[in-house]
Amino acid sequence: MNKTLFLLLSACLPSTVLAENSAIVPATRATPTNWVARHEGFLAEAKQGKFDVVFIGDSITDGWRKRGLEVWNKYYAPRQALNLGIGGDRTQHVLWRIEHGELDGLQPKAVVLMIGTNNTGKEKDRSARNSTAEVIEGVTAVVKKIRTKLPQSKLLLLAIFPRGTVDAPQRAQIKEINTAIAKLDDGKMIKFLDIGKVFLADDGSIPKTIMPDLLHPNAEGYQRWAEAMEPTLAAMLK
């Protein structure tokens, strides 16, 4: 095929045919055994009671079970909260989990979502995971999926937390993503909230006393998260 013909054909094809955005295609993890077991555990847990708050996300949300447990027990356990966070998840994995029943039968007053940090940056082979535009599309797809599944529940969409050093490429990428997804706030059922500043020092750096690895909060970090989110979440739960 000559170059001219290729370009003409390319112009006629949907972009998804040329290069599909992995961030919006529901998928299991590369090594899904334990991951699927956790998903099935969530399905069983969801049937055990009524939950007023549902948290959805990756390892940062998953961390409420360990480093953030004391804070969780203070703020969220009394509210019958359900944690659907799995470490390492990306937008496509959350989409798969939702499509396979994790929100079925639930009627929470509010859902707390933070996802997308694992779609940024590079793979082990140094290839890019997803572009900024692709991550934005992925987060948007998750938001739409949650709203479809739970039309009566309010959604608190958290900005992706800052990570890495001040000049790290992912820091800049995350800032762009947050600026875009902030527009998903509709003033009614979807509320966007950026609390990233509570994890930063005056110079923009992340103190290791809050995030030892510059990504995952420790107990102090989870306390700051809860305190910063509380006024907004409390209002959504009324």
Side-chain angles (χ1 to χ4, degrees), residues 96-123:
W96 188 95
R97 292 198 279 128
I98 294 174
E99 283 197 353
H100 288 77
E102 287 192 12
L103 297 181
D104 292 1
L106 297 178
Q107 295 181 322
K109 294 179 180 178
V111 176
V112 178
L113 170 68
M114 181 172 58
I115 194 66
T117 196
N118 292 321
N119 291 84
T120 68
K122 298 182 182 298
E123 302 286 6

PDB file of all heavy atoms in Angstrom, residues 96-123:
ATOM      1  N   TRP A  96     -13.805  -2.823  34.451  1.00  0.00           N
ATOM      2  CA  TRP A  96     -14.124  -4.251  34.399  1.00  0.00           C
ATOM      3  C   TRP A  96     -14.832  -4.687  35.676  1.00  0.00           C
ATOM      4  O   TRP A  96     -15.831  -5.417  35.619  1.00  0.00           O
ATOM      5  CB  TRP A  96     -12.845  -5.071  34.216  1.00  0.00           C
ATOM      6  CG  TRP A  96     -13.096  -6.533  33.966  1.00  0.00           C
ATOM      7  CD1 TRP A  96     -13.177  -7.158  32.769  1.00  0.00           C
ATOM      8  CD2 TRP A  96     -13.318  -7.558  34.963  1.00  0.00           C
ATOM      9  NE1 TRP A  96     -13.425  -8.501  32.936  1.00  0.00           N
ATOM     10  CE2 TRP A  96     -13.519  -8.776  34.273  1.00  0.00           C
ATOM     11  CE3 TRP A  96     -13.354  -7.558  36.355  1.00  0.00           C
ATOM     12  CZ2 TRP A  96     -13.764  -9.974  34.943  1.00  0.00           C
ATOM     13  CZ3 TRP A  96     -13.605  -8.750  37.023  1.00  0.00           C
ATOM     14  CH2 TRP A  96     -13.801  -9.947  36.323  1.00  0.00           C
ATOM     15  N   ARG A  97     -14.330  -4.236  36.804  1.00  0.00           N
ATOM     16  CA  ARG A  97     -14.935  -4.643  38.079  1.00  0.00           C
ATOM     17  C   ARG A  97     -16.377  -4.153  38.197  1.00  0.00           C
ATOM     18  O   ARG A  97     -17.259  -4.877  38.667  1.00  0.00           O
ATOM     19  CB  ARG A  97     -14.093  -4.129  39.249  1.00  0.00           C
ATOM     20  CG  ARG A  97     -12.738  -4.795  39.337  1.00  0.00           C
ATOM     21  CD  ARG A  97     -12.110  -4.625  40.704  1.00  0.00           C
ATOM     22  NE  ARG A  97     -11.455  -3.350  40.888  1.00  0.00           N
ATOM     23  CZ  ARG A  97     -11.687  -2.525  41.907  1.00  0.00           C
ATOM     24  NH1 ARG A  97     -12.630  -2.804  42.794  1.00  0.00           N
ATOM     25  NH2 ARG A  97     -11.015  -1.400  42.037  1.00  0.00           N
ATOM     26  N   ILE A  98     -16.615  -2.929  37.746  1.00  0.00           N
ATOM     27  CA  ILE A  98     -17.982  -2.403  37.804  1.00  0.00           C
ATOM     28  C   ILE A  98     -18.884  -3.167  36.846  1.00  0.00           C
ATOM     29  O   ILE A  98     -20.024  -3.516  37.181  1.00  0.00           O
ATOM     30  CB  ILE A  98     -17.987  -0.893  37.479  1.00  0.00           C
ATOM     31  CG1 ILE A  98     -17.258  -0.114  38.574  1.00  0.00           C
ATOM     32  CG2 ILE A  98     -19.422  -0.383  37.343  1.00  0.00           C
ATOM     33  CD1 ILE A  98     -17.085   1.365  38.263  1.00  0.00           C
ATOM     34  N   GLU A  99     -18.375  -3.432  35.647  1.00  0.00           N
ATOM     35  CA  GLU A  99     -19.175  -4.188  34.672  1.00  0.00           C
ATOM     36  C   GLU A  99     -19.497  -5.590  35.160  1.00  0.00           C
ATOM     37  O   GLU A  99     -20.483  -6.191  34.737  1.00  0.00           O
ATOM     38  CB  GLU A  99     -18.436  -4.265  33.332  1.00  0.00           C
ATOM     39  CG  GLU A  99     -18.498  -2.990  32.525  1.00  0.00           C
ATOM     40  CD  GLU A  99     -18.134  -3.214  31.065  1.00  0.00           C
ATOM     41  OE1 GLU A  99     -17.707  -4.336  30.721  1.00  0.00           O
ATOM     42  OE2 GLU A  99     -18.286  -2.267  30.280  1.00  0.00           O
ATOM     43  N   HIS A 100     -18.659  -6.109  36.059  1.00  0.00           N
ATOM     44  CA  HIS A 100     -18.866  -7.469  36.562  1.00  0.00           C
ATOM     45  C   HIS A 100     -19.439  -7.487  37.979  1.00  0.00           C
ATOM     46  O   HIS A 100     -19.184  -8.405  38.753  1.00  0.00           O
ATOM     47  CB  HIS A 100     -17.558  -8.261  36.471  1.00  0.00           C
ATOM     48  CG  HIS A 100     -17.195  -8.621  35.060  1.00  0.00           C
ATOM     49  ND1 HIS A 100     -16.653  -7.716  34.173  1.00  0.00           N
ATOM     50  CD2 HIS A 100     -17.330  -9.795  34.365  1.00  0.00           C
ATOM     51  CE1 HIS A 100     -16.465  -8.305  33.009  1.00  0.00           C
ATOM     52  NE2 HIS A 100     -16.875  -9.552  33.091  1.00  0.00           N
ATOM     53  N   GLY A 101     -20.224  -6.455  38.296  1.00  0.00           N
ATOM     54  CA  GLY A 101     -21.130  -6.564  39.431  1.00  0.00           C
ATOM     55  C   GLY A 101     -20.776  -5.911  40.739  1.00  0.00           C
ATOM     56  O   GLY A 101     -21.551  -6.026  41.700  1.00  0.00           O
ATOM     57  N   GLU A 102     -19.648  -5.193  40.842  1.00  0.00           N
ATOM     58  CA  GLU A 102     -19.273  -4.694  42.161  1.00  0.00           C
ATOM     59  C   GLU A 102     -20.218  -3.635  42.722  1.00  0.00           C
ATOM     60  O   GLU A 102     -20.277  -3.447  43.928  1.00  0.00           O
ATOM     61  CB  GLU A 102     -17.831  -4.168  42.145  1.00  0.00           C
ATOM     62  CG  GLU A 102     -16.815  -5.293  42.084  1.00  0.00           C
ATOM     63  CD  GLU A 102     -15.393  -4.843  42.353  1.00  0.00           C
ATOM     64  OE1 GLU A 102     -15.188  -3.703  42.815  1.00  0.00           O
ATOM     65  OE2 GLU A 102     -14.475  -5.641  42.089  1.00  0.00           O
ATOM     66  N   LEU A 103     -20.952  -2.958  41.874  1.00  0.00           N
ATOM     67  CA  LEU A 103     -21.906  -1.954  42.366  1.00  0.00           C
ATOM     68  C   LEU A 103     -23.352  -2.445  42.310  1.00  0.00           C
ATOM     69  O   LEU A 103     -24.261  -1.740  42.758  1.00  0.00           O
ATOM     70  CB  LEU A 103     -21.777  -0.659  41.550  1.00  0.00           C
ATOM     71  CG  LEU A 103     -20.429   0.056  41.634  1.00  0.00           C
ATOM     72  CD1 LEU A 103     -20.453   1.332  40.805  1.00  0.00           C
ATOM     73  CD2 LEU A 103     -20.059   0.365  43.080  1.00  0.00           C
ATOM     74  N   ASP A 104     -23.549  -3.634  41.795  1.00  0.00           N
ATOM     75  CA  ASP A 104     -24.904  -4.163  41.662  1.00  0.00           C
ATOM     76  C   ASP A 104     -25.548  -4.361  43.027  1.00  0.00           C
ATOM     77  O   ASP A 104     -24.943  -4.915  43.955  1.00  0.00           O
ATOM     78  CB  ASP A 104     -24.886  -5.497  40.914  1.00  0.00           C
ATOM     79  CG  ASP A 104     -24.486  -5.341  39.455  1.00  0.00           C
ATOM     80  OD1 ASP A 104     -24.213  -4.202  39.034  1.00  0.00           O
ATOM     81  OD2 ASP A 104     -24.434  -6.362  38.738  1.00  0.00           O
ATOM     82  N   GLY A 105     -26.775  -3.902  43.151  1.00  0.00           N
ATOM     83  CA  GLY A 105     -27.521  -4.083  44.387  1.00  0.00           C
ATOM     84  C   GLY A 105     -27.211  -3.068  45.468  1.00  0.00           C
ATOM     85  O   GLY A 105     -27.847  -3.068  46.526  1.00  0.00           O
ATOM     86  N   LEU A 106     -26.243  -2.197  45.230  1.00  0.00           N
ATOM     87  CA  LEU A 106     -25.879  -1.181  46.225  1.00  0.00           C
ATOM     88  C   LEU A 106     -26.697   0.083  45.999  1.00  0.00           C
ATOM     89  O   LEU A 106     -27.051   0.420  44.871  1.00  0.00           O
ATOM     90  CB  LEU A 106     -24.392  -0.849  46.144  1.00  0.00           C
ATOM     91  CG  LEU A 106     -23.415  -1.989  46.445  1.00  0.00           C
ATOM     92  CD1 LEU A 106     -21.977  -1.506  46.260  1.00  0.00           C
ATOM     93  CD2 LEU A 106     -23.617  -2.514  47.864  1.00  0.00           C
ATOM     94  N   GLN A 107     -26.955   0.807  47.090  1.00  0.00           N
ATOM     95  CA  GLN A 107     -27.654   2.084  47.013  1.00  0.00           C
ATOM     96  C   GLN A 107     -27.017   3.084  47.972  1.00  0.00           C
ATOM     97  O   GLN A 107     -27.679   3.620  48.864  1.00  0.00           O
ATOM     98  CB  GLN A 107     -29.140   1.907  47.332  1.00  0.00           C
ATOM     99  CG  GLN A 107     -29.895   1.057  46.311  1.00  0.00           C
ATOM    100  CD  GLN A 107     -31.366   0.919  46.656  1.00  0.00           C
ATOM    101  OE1 GLN A 107     -31.752   0.799  47.822  1.00  0.00           O
ATOM    102  NE2 GLN A 107     -32.206   0.939  45.630  1.00  0.00           N
ATOM    103  N   PRO A 108     -25.733   3.361  47.811  1.00  0.00           N
ATOM    104  CA  PRO A 108     -25.068   4.284  48.742  1.00  0.00           C
ATOM    105  C   PRO A 108     -25.535   5.721  48.535  1.00  0.00           C
ATOM    106  O   PRO A 108     -25.978   6.094  47.443  1.00  0.00           O
ATOM    107  CB  PRO A 108     -23.593   4.135  48.362  1.00  0.00           C
ATOM    108  CG  PRO A 108     -23.631   3.786  46.914  1.00  0.00           C
ATOM    109  CD  PRO A 108     -24.839   2.880  46.763  1.00  0.00           C
ATOM    110  N   LYS A 109     -25.428   6.498  49.578  1.00  0.00           N
ATOM    111  CA  LYS A 109     -25.727   7.920  49.433  1.00  0.00           C
ATOM    112  C   LYS A 109     -24.633   8.610  48.625  1.00  0.00           C
ATOM    113  O   LYS A 109     -24.898   9.553  47.884  1.00  0.00           O
ATOM    114  CB  LYS A 109     -25.840   8.564  50.814  1.00  0.00           C
ATOM    115  CG  LYS A 109     -27.017   8.078  51.639  1.00  0.00           C
ATOM    116  CD  LYS A 109     -27.034   8.758  52.997  1.00  0.00           C
ATOM    117  CE  LYS A 109     -28.203   8.276  53.839  1.00  0.00           C
ATOM    118  NZ  LYS A 109     -28.214   8.897  55.198  1.00  0.00           N
ATOM    119  N   ALA A 110     -23.395   8.120  48.787  1.00  0.00           N
ATOM    120  CA  ALA A 110     -22.275   8.748  48.092  1.00  0.00           C
ATOM    121  C   ALA A 110     -21.217   7.723  47.721  1.00  0.00           C
ATOM    122  O   ALA A 110     -21.024   6.727  48.414  1.00  0.00           O
ATOM    123  CB  ALA A 110     -21.652   9.844  48.963  1.00  0.00           C
ATOM    124  N   VAL A 111     -20.545   7.996  46.617  1.00  0.00           N
ATOM    125  CA  VAL A 111     -19.406   7.198  46.162  1.00  0.00           C
ATOM    126  C   VAL A 111     -18.193   8.121  46.122  1.00  0.00           C
ATOM    127  O   VAL A 111     -18.281   9.250  45.624  1.00  0.00           O
ATOM    128  CB  VAL A 111     -19.654   6.621  44.751  1.00  0.00           C
ATOM    129  CG1 VAL A 111     -18.407   5.883  44.259  1.00  0.00           C
ATOM    130  CG2 VAL A 111     -20.857   5.693  44.762  1.00  0.00           C
ATOM    131  N   VAL A 112     -17.075   7.658  46.666  1.00  0.00           N
ATOM    132  CA  VAL A 112     -15.824   8.420  46.636  1.00  0.00           C
ATOM    133  C   VAL A 112     -14.894   7.728  45.642  1.00  0.00           C
ATOM    134  O   VAL A 112     -14.534   6.567  45.827  1.00  0.00           O
ATOM    135  CB  VAL A 112     -15.169   8.491  48.025  1.00  0.00           C
ATOM    136  CG1 VAL A 112     -13.845   9.262  47.952  1.00  0.00           C
ATOM    137  CG2 VAL A 112     -16.111   9.141  49.037  1.00  0.00           C
ATOM    138  N   LEU A 113     -14.516   8.434  44.595  1.00  0.00           N
ATOM    139  CA  LEU A 113     -13.681   7.859  43.540  1.00  0.00           C
ATOM    140  C   LEU A 113     -12.373   8.621  43.381  1.00  0.00           C
ATOM    141  O   LEU A 113     -12.367   9.847  43.282  1.00  0.00           O
ATOM    142  CB  LEU A 113     -14.431   7.895  42.200  1.00  0.00           C
ATOM    143  CG  LEU A 113     -13.613   7.544  40.947  1.00  0.00           C
ATOM    144  CD1 LEU A 113     -13.208   6.073  40.945  1.00  0.00           C
ATOM    145  CD2 LEU A 113     -14.393   7.892  39.684  1.00  0.00           C
ATOM    146  N   MET A 114     -11.277   7.885  43.371  1.00  0.00           N
ATOM    147  CA  MET A 114     -10.003   8.436  42.912  1.00  0.00           C
ATOM    148  C   MET A 114      -9.287   7.344  42.137  1.00  0.00           C
ATOM    149  O   MET A 114      -9.000   6.274  42.665  1.00  0.00           O
ATOM    150  CB  MET A 114      -9.107   8.910  44.057  1.00  0.00           C
ATOM    151  CG  MET A 114      -7.798   9.510  43.532  1.00  0.00           C
ATOM    152  SD  MET A 114      -6.771  10.307  44.768  1.00  0.00           S
ATOM    153  CE  MET A 114      -6.514   8.966  45.922  1.00  0.00           C
ATOM    154  N   ILE A 115      -9.010   7.614  40.877  1.00  0.00           N
ATOM    155  CA  ILE A 115      -8.390   6.619  40.007  1.00  0.00           C
ATOM    156  C   ILE A 115      -7.602   7.339  38.921  1.00  0.00           C
ATOM    157  O   ILE A 115      -7.929   8.478  38.574  1.00  0.00           O
ATOM    158  CB  ILE A 115      -9.464   5.684  39.375  1.00  0.00           C
ATOM    159  CG1 ILE A 115      -8.822   4.432  38.750  1.00  0.00           C
ATOM    160  CG2 ILE A 115     -10.310   6.436  38.369  1.00  0.00           C
ATOM    161  CD1 ILE A 115      -8.179   3.511  39.764  1.00  0.00           C
ATOM    162  N   GLY A 116      -6.588   6.690  38.393  1.00  0.00           N
ATOM    163  CA  GLY A 116      -5.861   7.242  37.263  1.00  0.00           C
ATOM    164  C   GLY A 116      -4.367   7.364  37.444  1.00  0.00           C
ATOM    165  O   GLY A 116      -3.627   7.425  36.462  1.00  0.00           O
ATOM    166  N   THR A 117      -3.894   7.367  38.696  1.00  0.00           N
ATOM    167  CA  THR A 117      -2.447   7.564  38.871  1.00  0.00           C
ATOM    168  C   THR A 117      -1.638   6.441  38.246  1.00  0.00           C
ATOM    169  O   THR A 117      -0.541   6.657  37.726  1.00  0.00           O
ATOM    170  CB  THR A 117      -2.088   7.730  40.369  1.00  0.00           C
ATOM    171  OG1 THR A 117      -0.761   8.277  40.480  1.00  0.00           O
ATOM    172  CG2 THR A 117      -2.166   6.418  41.138  1.00  0.00           C
ATOM    173  N   ASN A 118      -2.184   5.219  38.253  1.00  0.00           N
ATOM    174  CA  ASN A 118      -1.448   4.080  37.674  1.00  0.00           C
ATOM    175  C   ASN A 118      -1.495   4.051  36.149  1.00  0.00           C
ATOM    176  O   ASN A 118      -0.790   3.257  35.522  1.00  0.00           O
ATOM    177  CB  ASN A 118      -1.982   2.757  38.236  1.00  0.00           C
ATOM    178  CG  ASN A 118      -1.666   2.601  39.701  1.00  0.00           C
ATOM    179  OD1 ASN A 118      -0.595   2.963  40.157  1.00  0.00           O
ATOM    180  ND2 ASN A 118      -2.618   2.078  40.464  1.00  0.00           N
ATOM    181  N   ASN A 119      -2.331   4.914  35.558  1.00  0.00           N
ATOM    182  CA  ASN A 119      -2.342   5.046  34.105  1.00  0.00           C
ATOM    183  C   ASN A 119      -1.263   6.008  33.624  1.00  0.00           C
ATOM    184  O   ASN A 119      -0.969   6.074  32.435  1.00  0.00           O
ATOM    185  CB  ASN A 119      -3.698   5.557  33.616  1.00  0.00           C
ATOM    186  CG  ASN A 119      -4.814   4.557  33.797  1.00  0.00           C
ATOM    187  OD1 ASN A 119      -5.401   4.463  34.876  1.00  0.00           O
ATOM    188  ND2 ASN A 119      -5.114   3.803  32.752  1.00  0.00           N
ATOM    189  N   THR A 120      -0.688   6.777  34.548  1.00  0.00           N
ATOM    190  CA  THR A 120       0.340   7.740  34.179  1.00  0.00           C
ATOM    191  C   THR A 120       1.724   7.093  34.211  1.00  0.00           C
ATOM    192  O   THR A 120       1.885   5.966  34.687  1.00  0.00           O
ATOM    193  CB  THR A 120       0.342   8.948  35.135  1.00  0.00           C
ATOM    194  OG1 THR A 120       0.769   8.534  36.449  1.00  0.00           O
ATOM    195  CG2 THR A 120      -1.044   9.571  35.234  1.00  0.00           C
ATOM    196  N   GLY A 121       2.714   7.807  33.728  1.00  0.00           N
ATOM    197  CA  GLY A 121       4.085   7.307  33.812  1.00  0.00           C
ATOM    198  C   GLY A 121       4.399   6.252  32.771  1.00  0.00           C
ATOM    199  O   GLY A 121       3.792   6.189  31.707  1.00  0.00           O
ATOM    200  N   LYS A 122       5.357   5.390  33.108  1.00  0.00           N
ATOM    201  CA  LYS A 122       5.870   4.409  32.146  1.00  0.00           C
ATOM    202  C   LYS A 122       5.822   2.988  32.702  1.00  0.00           C
ATOM    203  O   LYS A 122       5.828   2.780  33.906  1.00  0.00           O
ATOM    204  CB  LYS A 122       7.310   4.759  31.764  1.00  0.00           C
ATOM    205  CG  LYS A 122       7.464   6.118  31.080  1.00  0.00           C
ATOM    206  CD  LYS A 122       8.892   6.370  30.690  1.00  0.00           C
ATOM    207  CE  LYS A 122       9.053   7.746  30.040  1.00  0.00           C
ATOM    208  NZ  LYS A 122       8.277   7.865  28.788  1.00  0.00           N
ATOM    209  N   GLU A 123       5.780   2.035  31.773  1.00  0.00           N
ATOM    210  CA  GLU A 123       5.852   0.629  32.128  1.00  0.00           C
ATOM    211  C   GLU A 123       7.304   0.276  32.481  1.00  0.00           C
ATOM    212  O   GLU A 123       8.212   1.101  32.331  1.00  0.00           O
ATOM    213  CB  GLU A 123       5.377  -0.240  30.959  1.00  0.00           C
ATOM    214  CG  GLU A 123       3.972   0.049  30.485  1.00  0.00           C
ATOM    215  CD  GLU A 123       2.904  -0.463  31.431  1.00  0.00           C
ATOM    216  OE1 GLU A 123       3.246  -0.953  32.531  1.00  0.00           O
ATOM    217  OE2 GLU A 123       1.716  -0.377  31.075  1.00  0.00           O
TER     218      GLU A 123
END
